[in-house]
Amino acid sequence: MDLTYELIFTVFPYLCLATFVVGHSYRYITDRYAWNARSSQILDKKSLFWGAVLFHVGIILTFLGHAGGLLIPQKYYDLFGISSEMHLVIAHWMGEVVGIAAFVGCLLLLWRRLSNKRVRAAGTLNDIITLGALTLVISTGVYNVFFGHYNVLYSVAPWIRGIVFFSPDPELMRPVPLSFKIHVTAAWALLGFSPFSRLVHIWSVPLFYFFRRRIVFRRKPLGAIGKAGFGRFEAGGKEG
Ligand code: HEM
């Protein structure tokens, strides 16, 4: 047994996972007022749009792709006629598209955080570390997709399943190229760091939005406002 591999590819992932689960639960229970994305939209809306949209679409699809591609064993894809070659081609092309979206979005957000005076003044070092760590994880992921040319289905994928299902085997990571090792280690570190950052908001998917009752907004012509009278509401909210 190689102690270095054991520490990096078994002990470290479990430390990060435990911090992730306990940290997010603890913050949800004890710190609900700070449980949000700490939006900076009010400080500068224009420069946020493309960065936030590209990043969020890219990263959410990347998560789904990782979950489907790595956690579900190849034998189940074989049942549906998706060979490992086909699986890799699909993962490659999807990875290029969503990875580039996440990467460009992340760089735009990082650039905004560093260059916009108002956003920078209201932000914290933690915000910059979060975006910096995301940039490292995403850039190594994109590098692997474009230049890695390595079959992860029989090495990285079973290793991750081993961690998730409590039968870790760090030896599976031995033949894996360095750029993949950096990517997975940085990703575990980011998971461990996430409860201490604004990333707690990843759980706040506004699903209720699709089921809530509709709110009707009506635009009133200016004349109508005059007739109905602003005077109905005097300063201080008292009805006249
Ligand atoms: C469906 C789940 C998600 C929702 C509803 C959501 C929503 C939001 C909202 C409303 C903001 C504030 C917009 C702003 O002012 O910047 C934000 C910012 C942010 N989100 Fe998410 N998010 C989600 C998932 C994620 C995920 C999975 C990640 C990364 C792993 C992420 C990372 C970030 C970061 C880093 C920022 C800060 C951007 C900045 O201002 O520099 N989000 N998110």
Side-chain angles (χ1 to χ4, degrees):
M1 187 182 75
D2 182 332
L3 185 64
T4 314
Y5 266 73
E6 201 65 54
L7 285 176
I8 299 177
F9 298 113
T10 302
V11 177
F12 184 65
Y14 277 120
L15 272 179
C16 296
L17 264 183
T19 315
F20 179 83
V21 174
V22 176
H24 280 264
S25 314
Y26 182 78
R27 268 200 68 183
Y28 185 74
I29 295 164
T30 61
D31 192 21
R32 222 80 59 96
Y33 283 113
W35 184 274
N36 61 59
R38 295 218 310 273
S39 174
S40 54
Q41 192 181 30
I42 196 167
L43 300 171
D44 179 54
K45 197 171 170 180
K46 235 179 175 177
S47 66
L48 179 69
F49 181 79
W50 281 110
V53 170
L54 277 175
F55 170 73
H56 279 94
V57 170
I59 201 83
I60 289 168
L61 292 179
T62 304
F63 268 134
L64 295 177
H66 277 60
L70 296 175
L71 294 182
I72 303 174
Q74 178 56 37
K75 62 180 179 196
Y76 295 108
Y77 285 96
D78 290 334
L79 289 180
F80 292 95
I82 301 174
S83 65
S84 70
E85 289 76 23
M86 211 189 286
H87 186 164
L88 282 176
V89 170
I90 296 170
H92 182 80
W93 286 106
M94 301 284 275
E96 282 192 5
V97 175
V98 297
I100 284 288
F103 182 59
V104 173
C106 198
L107 285 185
L108 289 174
L109 289 175
L110 185 60
W111 169 248
R112 171 178 180 269
R113 284 254 147 225
L114 295 172
S115 65
N116 187 305
K117 277 192 192 143
R118 281 155 63 92
V119 175
R120 196 169 165 178
T124 61
L125 179 63
N126 189 306
D127 296 330
I128 295 173
I129 294 175
T130 306
L131 281 171
L134 279 164
T135 309
L136 174 66
V137 175
I138 297 169
S139 57
T140 47
V142 170
Y143 174 87
N144 290 334
V145 171
F146 276 90
F147 309 108
H149 308 302
Y150 181 73
N151 186 343
V152 294
L153 294 182
Y154 301 105
S155 51
V156 182
W159 168 69
I160 291 193
R161 286 199 294 277
I163 302 265
V164 173
F165 299 112
F166 301 106
S167 57
D169 180 4
E171 285 306 313
L172 284 167
M173 286 302 283
R174 196 171 285 281
V176 173
L178 181 64
S179 59
F180 285 82
K181 287 178 176 152
I182 296 175
H183 175 67
V184 294
T185 310
W188 287 123
L190 182 61
L191 277 191
F193 172 70
S194 63
F196 307 100
S197 72
R198 61 165 69 205
L199 290 180
V200 287
H201 79 274
I202 58 176
W203 302 110
S204 307
V205 189
L207 289 178
F208 70 89
Y209 179 82
F210 297 104
F211 307 105
R212 70 160 166 75
R213 290 164 77 99
R214 277 188 290 171
I215 300 171
V216 182
F217 290 95
R218 285 209 187 87
R219 196 190 290 262
K220 247 185 186 174
L222 261 175
I225 292 176
K227 270 179 219 144
F230 271 129
R232 261 174 64 75
F233 295 96
E234 287 172 352
K238 210 177 88 189
E239 276 202 50

